[in-house]
Amino acid sequence: MQTAGVPLGNGKADPAVLRAANAIGLMLDRIAVLIAASAVVIIFLALMAEVVVRYFTSAGLGWPNEVPNVLFPWLIMGGIVIGAHRGAHIAAEFIRGHLTPSQLRLLMVAIHLLVAVVFAALAWLSLGVISITRTQVFPITGLGQAWAYTSMLFGFGGIAVASLVNAVRVAYAADPGALDHTDTEHMT
């Protein structure tokens, strides 16, 4: 069974923890896709509005110039979370090819848990950055720059959650080496 390029298990009666991990992963994936797609659409519409107003009035709206400053970090972090969850990242295949399935499972679970811990710590540290930038505002919209920096909390926290989900998936997979092989035909 697979949804939107996201492997969800072998389709058999999986353990409850695997079903829960798959549900959390799918929800995280959909949220990240929604965030990234919404950021692209809103940035495009705001900049298009600026272009149209400038064309007809020779004066700009002003605020559309700040929209990319707020939403581009969300676009990037949404994409990073999608890639982390779907396993669409750079992988070292040499080592994987020389391990038995049980050794590979152990290595992959350890890597996913290490990544989860590191990115959970980064998410925690991003709270300090958010509190610092709360007082800094964009001049035209008056929005706090913390809105843009909150994307770090989503991105780092999302990667931590995706890594935990992937650790559970690897632990219960029949073939741990087959989980991170994405459909390269649709990646370009």
Side-chain angles (χ1 to χ4, degrees):
M1 176 181 355
Q2 187 167 336
T3 302
V6 182
L8 297 177
N10 58 13
K12 298 177 183 172
D14 298 323
V17 68
L18 181 57
R19 287 192 305 271
N22 287 337
I24 292 168
L26 185 61
M27 182 176 60
L28 177 66
D29 189 76
R30 288 186 176 164
I31 290 169
V33 167
L34 178 66
I35 286 172
S38 297
V40 168
V41 169
I42 293 169
I43 289 170
F44 175 78
L45 292 175
L47 294 177
M48 182 58 81
E50 178 74 3
V51 168
V52 169
V53 168
R54 270 193 197 276
Y55 181 76
F56 288 114
T57 67
S58 298
L61 297 171
W63 64 266
N65 296 323
E66 292 181 358
V67 170
N69 294 338
V70 175
L71 295 181
F72 189 71
W74 285 97
L75 169 62
I76 297 302
M77 286 301 188
I80 289 172
V81 170
I82 293 166
H85 178 253
R86 295 183 183 186
H89 49 75
I90 298 172
E93 296 295 322
F94 177 76
I95 295 173
R96 293 171 56 132
H98 289 83
L99 298 175
T100 66
S102 61
Q103 291 170 330
L104 181 59
R105 181 184 323 278
L106 184 61
L107 176 65
M108 290 176 68
V109 167
I111 289 170
H112 284 302
L113 292 177
L114 178 63
V115 168
V117 168
V118 168
F119 279 93
L122 287 172
W124 177 260
L125 291 173
S126 71
L127 292 173
V129 174
I130 293 167
S131 68
I132 291 168
T133 59
R134 201 169 273 151
T135 59
Q136 300 169 350
V137 296
F138 290 106
I140 297 173
T141 60
L143 283 174
Q145 290 187 11
W147 283 101
Y149 285 99
T150 302
S151 67
M152 292 187 336
L153 180 62
F154 170 74
F156 296 152
I159 291 170
V161 171
S163 295
L164 290 175
V165 165
N166 288 334
V168 171
R169 289 178 52 235
V170 167
Y172 287 97
D175 180 11
L179 286 178
D180 286 340
H181 291 163
T182 57
D183 181 12
T184 54
E185 178 180 337
H186 297 97
M187 291 178 64
T188 57

